Amino acid sequence: MQRRTFLEFLGKGAAGYLLVPGMLGGCRQQAVNPAASAYRIKPLMPSVADELQLAEGLSSQMLIRWGDPINATEKFGFNNDFTCFLPLEANNSEEGILWVNHEYVDARFVSNCPSLESKTAEQVHEEQLAVGGSLLRVKKTAEGYWEVAPNHPLNRRVHGLTEIPFNWPEPIAGSRKAIGTLANCSGGLTPWGTILTCEENYDQFYGEHDPLTGAFKLSGDDQGWHRYHDFPPEHYGWVVEVDPRTGESVKHVALGRCAHECATVHQLSDGRLVVYTGDDANDEHLYKFISSVPGSLSEGTLYAANLETGIWEAVEHSRPELREEFADQTDVLVRLRLSAKRVGATPLDRPEDIEIDPLTGHVLVALTNNYPKGNYYGSILKIIEENGDYAALRFSHETYLTGGEQTGFACPDNMAFDPRGNLWFTSDISGNKLNSGPYAALGNNGLYIVLREGEQAGQVLQVASGPVHAELTGPWFSPDGRSLFLSVQHPGEYSESAENPSSHWPDGGNSMPKPAVVVLSGPLLDELSASMA
């Protein structure tokens, strides 16, 4: 894509506002004023090295890794993904609570299980404790280093055995609560300062029921947990709200059941909520929930996007297309993928992260790829709500192919806007496809920035490269923009065996690879954050 075209795609408007955590228990609007910087970024070249490489002006600090203790009885989970930093006090960028998702396990590393057939109930139990999420009390020391406060009362885990109720008037698969949260990919933040963590590829754990026949089926990446637990598949695939102060959690049925990647919340002027979420699978859909009362994640209507007509289609049992095939609204939401197709939702190329541009108000959706359809590089979809109203039921959209050798990246995934409105995003090339085929010249997965102003505006600049087979995920800025929390997920995922790993990050030598959270800082972030309004 040409630089000018990309700038037009992003839009360059007047100063906007970014919703950021103001303090634990609430958010605030922060003014966003794009401004040119004299700092020139020297981007990285593609790399296949087994290390976290950073552009000049950035440095990284290890915050926590898989297996590190967080209190007397619990450890940091595996395959960390989404992160969210919540200050303890307004405008405090150096002390707070960090939430971290834990998506799935690699049994060879987590439970020392070399094959699915040999997995025991005890090993499954160990794996159940490794997914979900971690709450960490973090602070920045006088020397400028971030640390997790050891054994702090706020340090706790939510995991695959935590009992979590459903926020819905009817039971789900015969129960009003689920055992555990799992497949936690990306997420979101509510205006009142709670975490939304999203259950994505839930079928890997307890299987799934065919939406048409009801027959039980297993995922190609089955973890085998169903052999020891008969937890209903319908208890997973939800958006889960977590209170960072207590760990208390609830699953929100009104947002529907699918492979949720994220849940991005916008609060309307009357207090009602709009929540955008995508279903991260080939030919699945983009959704928007609009609450009918202020501050509710249970009362309202879920819509699916029809890009051909530019209409948000209501996914409601009262519709003729759904009345005969679905028993009630609960059934509609449980079998969301099928009900969305019945109302005419447009199949998309793995809708992953969703962010609202603070400068233009447009809704950006990362469409990662669609291998069966020959879309190897992915795209970014821009949704423009009618009259700039997030509660509108009509929209327009634009799609641009942004990946490829020419632009130096492929498969956009997680996105974040810094306090100056610059766009940051990570890539998600599958580990078994890295550095081969259409991705041969692109190197390992990375972190990229697109500046809004200055000499390099509109260029896609790589500022980090991950270790072998790893994916960089969950970028989240401190309110002042000077610290960037970042997950390094699944290094060495496609290792031949636990004894012969393809990655030894982060400890090097002959060590076992470990997912971890790092914090990026340095002159580059200092400069981009300077003179903020």
Side-chain angles (χ1 to χ4, degrees):
M1 183 185 301
Q2 296 299 316
R3 173 175 176 267
R4 181 159 105 32
T5 305
F6 198 86
L7 284 173
E8 290 172 351
F9 163 57
L10 286 175
K12 292 174 63 177
Y17 290 90
L18 187 68
L19 185 68
V20 299
M23 57 180 295
L24 187 60
C27 297
R28 63 186 175 88
Q29 283 190 328
Q30 176 172 284
V32 178
N33 287 314
S37 170
Y39 194 99
R40 182 172 178 82
I41 297 174
K42 183 180 179 181
L44 296 176
M45 297 299 292
S47 169
V48 298
D50 185 30
E51 59 187 11
L52 177 62
Q53 294 187 349
L54 300 173
E56 290 183 14
L58 284 177
S59 60
S60 70
Q61 179 226 320
M62 177 66 62
L63 180 67
I64 192 168
R65 71 194 80 194
W66 163 54
D68 287 350
I70 65 171
N71 55 40
T73 60
E74 296 177 305
K75 297 179 180 180
F76 189 68
F78 198 73
N79 271 348
N80 37 267
D81 200 310
F82 171 69
T83 71
C84 181
F85 174 77
L86 289 156
L88 289 176
E89 298 175 354
N91 302 315
N92 187 342
S93 291
E94 299 186 351
E95 194 171 1
I97 294 180
L98 185 72
W99 166 268
V100 184
N101 276 1
H102 300 295
E103 189 173 358
Y104 61 99
V105 300
D106 188 324
R108 298 170 301 175
F109 300 130
V110 173
S111 58
N112 194 30
C113 181
S115 68
L116 180 64
E117 293 73 22
S118 64
K119 187 175 290 188
T120 66
E122 291 74 19
Q123 288 170 321
V124 168
H125 179 82
E126 188 173 0
E127 293 172 8
Q128 289 171 317
L129 298 179
V131 299
S134 292
L135 286 162
L136 310 170
R137 175 72 163 80
V138 297
K139 63 179 180 179
K140 195 174 184 180
T141 67
E143 294 75 27
Y145 296 102
W146 284 91
E147 63 181 17
V148 177
N151 295 317
H152 195 280
L154 290 174
N155 293 352
R156 56 169 50 90
R157 289 292 317 281
V158 178
H159 49 66
L161 292 173
T162 304
E163 289 191 359
I164 305 176
F166 293 104
N167 183 15
W168 193 247
E170 303 295 331
I172 303 298
S175 178
R176 294 190 177 275
K177 65 181 179 181
I179 303 299
T181 181
L182 43 78
N184 306 81
C185 193
S186 191
L189 177 68
T190 67
W192 49 90
T194 56
I195 305 299
L196 297 179
T197 177
C198 298
E199 300 177 334
E200 189 191 28
N201 296 313
Y202 58 86
D203 58 333
Q204 296 178 7
F205 301 90
Y206 301 114
E208 177 64 301
H209 288 117
D210 185 279
L212 287 174
T213 67
F216 181 76
K217 58 182 182 179
L218 295 176
S219 162
D221 297 311
D222 177 39
Q223 298 280 353
W225 294 8
H226 60 90
R227 295 190 298 168
Y228 299 100
H229 301 277
D230 60 354
F231 301 152
E234 293 78 14
H235 283 187
Y236 310 96
W238 305 103
V239 175
V240 184
E241 184 179 4
V242 180
D243 187 333
R245 295 154 295 196
T246 64
E248 184 178 355
S249 306
V250 64
K251 297 197 178 192
H252 288 295
V253 176
L255 301 182
R257 176 174 173 267
C258 63
H260 287 281
E261 170 74 17
C262 71
T264 300
V265 184
H266 175 82
Q267 188 169 38
L268 301 171
S269 58
D270 61 5
R272 292 181 299 131
L273 304 178
V274 177
V275 184
Y276 293 94
T277 185
D279 186 351
D280 182 10
N282 291 332
D283 302 323
E284 292 302 335
H285 311 296
L286 175 66
Y287 299 95
K288 177 171 78 170
F289 172 81
I290 305 175
S291 70
S292 56
V293 297
S296 177
L297 291 172
S298 61
E299 298 178 73
T301 302
L302 185 65
Y303 299 86
N306 184 322
L307 272 66
E308 288 73 27
T309 62
I311 294 175
W312 289 103
E313 295 284 357
V315 190
E316 290 187 308
H317 185 250
S318 58
R319 295 184 61 141
E321 304 96 320
L322 302 179
R323 277 202 302 265
E324 293 186 6
E325 192 170 1
F326 297 84
D328 50 27
Q329 185 63 16
T330 302
D331 190 23
V332 166
L333 294 170
V334 167
R335 294 192 288 160
L336 179 61
R337 286 177 165 173
L338 180 60
S339 56
K341 288 174 174 56
R342 295 290 188 260
V343 300
T346 299
L348 296 172
D349 299 328
R350 291 185 57 199
E352 293 212 51
D353 201 10
I354 303 168
E355 297 293 335
I356 298 175
D357 187 326
L359 299 181
T360 66
H362 299 152
V363 180
L364 300 188
V365 184
L367 303 179
T368 296
N369 57 43
N370 194 326
Y371 297 138
K373 290 188 174 179
N375 180 356
Y376 304 115
Y377 299 114
S379 63
I380 297 177
L381 175 70
K382 180 172 72 174
I383 297 290
I384 307 166
E385 298 283 22
E386 188 175 54
N387 299 320
D389 179 8
Y390 296 101
L393 299 184
R394 291 186 175 274
F395 64 92
S396 60
H397 71 277
E398 299 177 23
T399 304
Y400 291 85
L401 181 67
T402 59
E405 291 186 31
Q406 208 172 23
T407 47
F409 75 95
C411 309
D413 185 354
N414 294 152
M415 301 181 291
F417 285 97
D418 66 25
R420 291 279 283 271
N422 300 306
L423 174 65
W424 299 66
F425 66 92
T426 63
S427 62
D428 181 15
I429 304 171
S430 296
N432 62 344
K433 294 181 173 62
L434 278 168
N435 304 304
S436 64
Y439 311 115
L442 297 176
N444 294 342
N445 280 311
L447 171 69
Y448 304 82
I449 184 175
V450 180
L451 299 173
R452 303 297 278 269
E453 299 287 343
E455 181 183 349
Q456 294 177 295
Q459 299 177 29
V460 180
L461 308 171
Q462 184 172 0
V463 294
S465 177
V468 169
H469 292 158
E471 179 189 352
L472 304 181
T473 62
W476 191 280
F477 287 94
S478 59
D480 63 5
R482 295 178 185 269
S483 297
L484 175 59
F485 298 92
L486 184 69
S487 285
V488 181
Q489 191 186 40
H490 57 69
E493 183 174 35
Y494 287 89
S495 299
E496 291 181 4
S497 65
E499 295 72 30
N500 186 27
S502 60
S503 173
H504 301 285
W505 189 89
D507 297 325
N510 294 318
S511 64
M512 178 186 296
K514 292 186 177 183
V517 175
V518 299
V519 188
L520 305 189
S521 59
L524 193 157
L525 291 182
D526 292 343
E527 174 65 25
L528 293 180
S529 303
S531 303
M532 290 194 316

